[in-house]
Amino acid sequence: MQSPGVPTPSTPEPRESTAEAPPKQVAQAMDRLAQAGRLIADIRLGADRLLEALFVAAQSHQSTKPLHLILKEEASMRHHLQHLRTIGRQLEESGVLNESLRSRSNSWGLHMPLVCPDGAVVAYAWKRQLAGQAGASAVDRTRDKDDIARSSSEWVCGTSWSYNLRLALKAFTDQKRRFFPHLDDGQGLESVSKKHCGIQTSTLSQQEELSNLRTVSDILQYMDKEVPNVKISTYQRLQWFKQASSLASSSNETFIESSKEQSFHSTTKLRQEFEGDVAADKIAVIELLLPSVFRAVISLHPAGSIDPDAVAFFSPDEGGSYVHPRGFSVYHVFRHITVRAFATRAYKSLNMLQWLYSTLLVAKLKRLYILCWYYLLLLILKCFSISEIAFDNLFMLSIVALDLQLSNPIRKTLQVEFFTFDVPSFRYVMLHLFCSKCRRLLSMDKQSALLLPPVQRPYRDIFLSSTQSNKQTSLSNDQSMDAIPAYHVGCFLEEA
Amino acid sequence: MPVKWVLHWQPNAGTTVNTQIIAEVCQCVEGINAVKDGRWKVNLSFYRPVLKEHANAAEYPREFLGVALPEQPNKYYFVVRQHRLVLEADLAIQTIMEKLQSYKTRVAIIFEGFQYQLGDFRLRVGKVVPVHSENLRGIIMEIEYLPISSWEKSHRIMGDFHDILQEALSKRSAPGQFVHLEPPLADFALSDQYTSQHTCVQYANVMLQLIATVQATQPARN
């Protein structure tokens, strides 16, 4: 119904109801939601205009008109986003977006409309009330309906993420064909060599090493070396589903019987059963198990290539048919991480982009495209100082668009980066790493009313300086934990 | 199994526990956006052997605890502190002991209260009362973190949650705090992977504390 992601900033906890009559509150909430929807549409249009301006800029080098266009668009986008921010704050204060307020709602028996993370609005209860069907039985009936609606909307939210992203991908593919038709094959950057001018030497060797990894077995060996704590297993696609169901049964065993040795044997037995059969070109699912911390399932598409398609994180105790690369964990923290993982993939593209930028020698036409994209992304990043979902959405969309532009060798390098992305640092983030601002592990995430650990956001450094190269996450040193900045959503927004 | 911490209420010097505090704690928990889920109850009994011939007294443990946990409805656990043992048995063991007249219940205590859900955390707040009596002996809180089952790995997250709770409580100027004592897991030969046995050891620990507190305040009352 609405476009994905109604963003909300961090605000003080919603207070009890105001003195206004309930129908007015509800009508106001619906009104604000509609406004938010319109603003989001405006922002999308603005992004389109930016694209167009860049295209024009690439065509004609002389005029400064596109520059003016870009600046004007930036100003209007910023304005729209500020407006969205205030609306979001108002919505949150009225309790529309926070589910916990609903459970102890005392707004005269009315239930406020609920906005789900994917933008769908559940508004059964208030409609019936406004129709004048007051009475205890009516409220009870609507409460039941709300429960059904809530559970169905949660299901929708779960499946809508990947669906939304696919829609976005399709939209940008169309845009690309419209604006950049001659970049279809990506013959653009054949001459991008591995000259690394201007990059610190520590990151230099790592990136060189990373770009040397071309096949899945290379990558797996590299990971084995870098993060020996993680157990890596590979499967064909159907094998994984069998494995997932057997995970469910093994997690139900009583723990008295399974000593450490026993469980080790059983997992190796399972691995041997499957691993021997999987040739490198048939690998479709990779499982990364960091014992007692998480289980990550990555899907490759097509099988055997190094194009990751989806990733999902689960608790090591979870099992069952919903444990697959497009599934979502039952636990909030793992769901959170799954979403972040996708954003991180996008971030890695930006990393590589910075590297590319610093290696470009002469601004040839094709390379100018890359430069323009880089600046566009910087602009977008600067505009988005609001909230996670909005940021991630648009950021992801732009990076996805970017991904399509680049030539194949570059894309391969980008995706190799994804594999080595953050396995050990996720361990740190989850359990050891403190928020660099408040020095604590857990913090109340105002938006979802959950207690969540901080998230590592290396792309924040891009805000600070575009010339300084990114702080690469050092993969396995304990003493570098402090060097990895991580922030809670609330703490991060206050800093920005 | 998800990791659980069992905390007990330590009143400030000079104050005692009362039901008002429980109500305040519940309000505080709801204030941090926890959602009430239901009720819970744990039964704990102290057993003494019924000795027919006094010569064998040394063979039997002087006293041990029996715990019935809500998450394992078919099992009954025993904690023998003297021998550092935690045992798991079927629920029918209670009837067997009764029929055989081998062990007798000396004191039976009930922990019961409300359960809350906060994202990946599950909280239980409850009162400690002897069975057949309304005399409040203490307040207990259980914090459970669902995604992780390793005791070591979850330590910091649990500690952080504990701190958050403490802060919230102190804002309401509660006359005391919830204390977590490190249970002697190594003594009982329990592994890192959390199980119901760990819960029982924590309860045994808490009972020790409660008894000590009650005994400390009793002379003052008398």
Side-chain angles (χ1 to χ4, degrees), chain B residues 62-81:
Chain B
R62 210 176 48 236
E63 179 182 68
F64 57 88
L65 282 176
V67 186
L69 295 174
E71 45 265 358
Q72 309 274 15
N74 297 331
K75 305 240 191 272
Y76 199 70
Y77 292 89
F78 292 108
V79 180
V80 187
R81 245 190 8 255

Side-chain angles (χ1 to χ4, degrees), chain B residues 107-167:
Chain B
V107 176
I109 311 238
I110 295 186
F111 301 80
E112 68 175 348
F114 291 108
Q115 182 170 299
Y116 294 88
Q117 186 90 19
L118 172 57
D120 293 326
F121 285 95
R122 188 151 56 201
L123 284 174
R124 288 175 174 168
V125 181
K127 59 185 181 198
V128 185
V129 284
V131 90
H132 306 313
S133 152
E134 279 307 313
N135 202 354
L136 184 70
R137 292 308 174 105
I139 303 178
I140 206 145
M141 175 178 285
E142 283 187 15
I143 304 176
E144 207 171 347
Y145 186 55
L146 300 169
I148 306 251
S149 15
S150 154
W151 181 260
E152 306 266 312
K153 298 243 160 66
S154 60
H155 208 269
R156 280 199 202 180
I157 281 196
M158 303 292 268
D160 237 42
F161 190 80
H162 186 197
D163 291 337
I164 290 178
L165 261 177
Q166 286 298 110
E167 268 184 43

Side-chain angles (χ1 to χ4, degrees), chain A residues 13 98 100 103-104 255-256 291-293 315-317 331-334 430-432 434 440-442 444 449-451, chain B residues 1 30-33 35 88 118-121 145-150 153 156-157 160-161 163-164 167 193 195 197:
Chain A
E13 259 186 9
N98 189 330
S100 81
S103 66
R104 46 188 177 104
F255 288 104
I256 309 171
S292 305
V293 181
S315 161
D317 302 328
Y331 304 117
H332 293 98
V333 62
F334 288 108
M430 267 203 59
L431 300 163
H432 297 291
F434 297 104
R440 283 159 122 212
L441 194 53
L442 289 174
M444 177 65 76
L450 297 171
L451 285 172
Chain B
M1 245 202 91
E30 279 170 14
I32 56 173
N33 293 329
V35 177
E88 178 185 289
L118 172 57
D120 293 326
F121 285 95
Y145 186 55
L146 300 169
I148 306 251
S149 15
S150 154
K153 298 243 160 66
R156 280 199 202 180
I157 281 196
D160 237 42
F161 190 80
D163 291 337
I164 290 178
E167 268 184 43
Q193 185 87 326
T195 59
Q197 280 89 329

Side-chain angles (χ1 to χ4, degrees), chain A residues 345-447:
Chain A
R345 174 191 186 208
Y347 150 67
K348 288 294 179 184
S349 312
L350 191 58
N351 245 354
M352 196 48 63
L353 192 56
Q354 252 189 322
W355 168 74
L356 279 178
Y357 171 56
S358 57
T359 63
L360 292 176
L361 305 171
V362 178
K364 274 194 197 171
L365 186 63
K366 300 271 164 67
R367 287 175 184 166
L368 187 58
Y369 281 137
I370 300 296
L371 270 178
C372 290
W373 276 112
Y374 181 57
Y375 282 120
L376 166 66
L377 292 170
L378 268 187
L379 264 178
I380 293 182
L381 290 176
K382 278 195 208 146
C383 292
F384 274 98
S385 51
I386 294 187
S387 85
E388 285 309 299
I389 293 188
F391 181 87
D392 286 340
N393 260 338
L394 199 51
F395 188 42
M396 273 192 282
L397 294 181
S398 23
I399 297 290
V400 158
L402 177 60
D403 209 10
L404 297 170
Q405 303 289 331
L406 300 179
S407 66
N408 273 327
I410 308 242
R411 212 189 305 188
K412 282 216 161 5
T413 339
L414 293 177
Q415 285 154 349
V416 165
E417 285 262 358
F418 167 69
F419 265 113
T420 60
F421 70 123
D422 271 330
V423 168
S425 55
F426 269 129
R427 169 183 64 206
Y428 292 136
V429 163
M430 267 203 59
L431 300 163
H432 297 291
L433 198 58
F434 297 104
C435 170
S436 307
K437 179 166 184 235
C438 64
R439 308 305 308 176
R440 283 159 122 212
L441 194 53
L442 289 174
S443 167
M444 177 65 76
D445 186 29
K446 299 278 188 316
Q447 185 180 2

Side-chain angles (χ1 to χ4, degrees), chain A residues 168-370:
Chain A
L169 190 62
K170 186 171 177 304
F172 272 88
T173 319
D174 297 341
Q175 291 284 34
K176 171 198 140 177
R177 271 194 224 113
R178 204 175 125 208
F179 287 124
F180 302 102
H182 51 280
L183 278 190
D184 261 335
D185 304 321
Q187 343 109 320
L189 297 150
E190 358 38 35
S191 55
V192 171
S193 60
K194 290 183 190 151
K195 288 185 206 147
H196 303 282
C197 33
I199 294 199
Q200 295 168 9
T201 47
S202 58
T203 61
L204 164 76
S205 49
Q206 198 170 38
Q207 289 195 349
E208 236 178 17
E209 223 179 296
L210 288 175
S211 13
N212 283 333
L213 304 172
R214 293 253 173 249
T215 67
V216 183
S217 24
D218 283 345
I219 294 173
L220 294 181
Q221 279 168 9
Y222 177 74
M223 289 202 79
D224 251 339
K225 199 173 44 135
E226 287 286 319
V227 281
N229 295 343
V230 176
K231 297 203 190 85
I232 306 177
S233 351
T234 57
Y235 304 91
Q236 298 191 19
R237 208 166 286 280
L238 286 180
Q239 273 177 348
W240 172 252
F241 286 103
K242 287 189 217 154
Q243 170 74 345
S245 335
S246 73
L247 279 177
S249 49
S250 67
S251 66
N252 284 337
E253 277 169 19
T254 54
F255 288 104
I256 309 171
E257 282 101 23
S258 64
S259 62
K260 277 186 193 157
E261 291 82 64
Q262 262 189 343
S263 51
F264 174 68
H265 285 316
S266 64
T267 49
T268 46
K269 186 167 87 88
L270 278 168
R271 281 178 70 182
Q272 279 156 13
E273 232 176 62
F274 290 124
E275 217 175 313
D277 294 337
V278 184
D281 59 345
K282 290 215 182 67
I283 296 176
V285 174
I286 299 183
E287 177 203 13
L288 305 171
L289 174 64
L290 192 55
S292 305
V293 181
F294 67 76
R295 185 192 311 269
V297 190
I298 303 173
S299 144
L300 299 173
H301 183 78
S305 71
I306 57 165
D307 295 335
D309 186 36
V311 65
F313 282 81
F314 298 93
S315 161
D317 302 328
E318 279 180 281
S321 57
Y322 69 94
V323 177
H324 60 84
R326 287 200 185 77
F328 279 92
S329 167
V330 180
Y331 304 117
H332 293 98
V333 62
F334 288 108
R335 253 187 254 173
H336 212 61
I337 290 181
T338 302
V339 170
R340 298 262 156 264
F342 206 91
T344 308
R345 174 191 186 208
Y347 150 67
K348 288 294 179 184
S349 312
L350 191 58
N351 245 354
M352 196 48 63
L353 192 56
Q354 252 189 322
W355 168 74
L356 279 178
Y357 171 56
S358 57
T359 63
L360 292 176
L361 305 171
V362 178
K364 274 194 197 171
L365 186 63
K366 300 271 164 67
R367 287 175 184 166
L368 187 58
Y369 281 137
I370 300 296

